[in-house]
Amino acid sequence: MTLDATDKAILNAILWDAKVSLQTIAKKLHIPLSTIHHRIKRFEELKIIPRYVAKIDYSKIGRPIQAFILVEAMNVLPSGKKVYQQEIMDELKKLESVEEAYIITGTADLMARVRVKDLDELNELITYRLRKIDGVGSTQTMMVLKESEHQPIV
């Protein structure tokens, strides 16, 4: 679907604040409320907006440390069993501290974004849970020192 300038403006407004009222968007963009309503309904029907989510301040709920873990996959285990990247990603997503998991290109095969309370929890996650997943070879962990504000790119 090709987005026009109005579509982009509506989506940007929702990206910055998913709870923004339709009236606020209409006033800001000088567009009738019914237009805003119909376009958002169309975005939802087309799954351009599949769901609305909250942005959480993880430091306030005891998970201030964020890290990215790169995983090199072993496609064939020493036992001869084949393991596919999708299977590894599915297992990664089951780990409590894993917020997101991706199959990627480059020197690693997968990447997980994790949020933990401290370095001991990160160590436990990597050493005792993540590395026990069939197909996980080596890992490389990158700690986030500072995160930029989310920037919509519609």
Side-chain angles (χ1 to χ4, degrees), residues 2-3 9 20 30 41 47 50 55 59 71-72 76 82 106-107 123 128:
T2 303
L3 301 176
V20 66
H30 309 290
K41 283 294 175 200
K47 303 293 185 208
K55 181 169 174 51
S59 65
V71 177
E72 287 188 42
V76 180
K82 286 189 176 187
T107 57
N123 179 55
Y128 298 107

Side-chain angles (χ1 to χ4, degrees), residues 84-102:
Y84 298 95
Q85 290 175 357
Q86 183 65 49
E87 295 171 320
I88 299 169
M89 185 170 75
D90 292 343
E91 291 301 313
L92 284 171
K93 292 190 306 187
K94 291 178 185 177
L95 299 176
E96 181 183 338
S97 301
V98 174
E99 182 179 12
E100 299 173 314
Y102 308 91

Side-chain angles (χ1 to χ4, degrees), residues 45-93:
E45 289 167 3
L46 295 173
K47 303 293 185 208
I48 292 169
I49 301 175
R51 63 190 172 114
Y52 296 88
V53 296
K55 181 169 174 51
I56 296 173
D57 184 341
Y58 285 94
S59 65
K60 293 183 179 174
I61 61 168
R63 292 185 175 272
I65 296 176
Q66 178 181 193
F68 289 92
I69 303 172
L70 298 175
V71 177
E72 287 188 42
M74 296 183 340
N75 295 325
V76 180
L77 300 179
S79 66
K81 176 186 173 190
K82 286 189 176 187
V83 180
Y84 298 95
Q85 290 175 357
Q86 183 65 49
E87 295 171 320
I88 299 169
M89 185 170 75
D90 292 343
E91 291 301 313
L92 284 171
K93 292 190 306 187

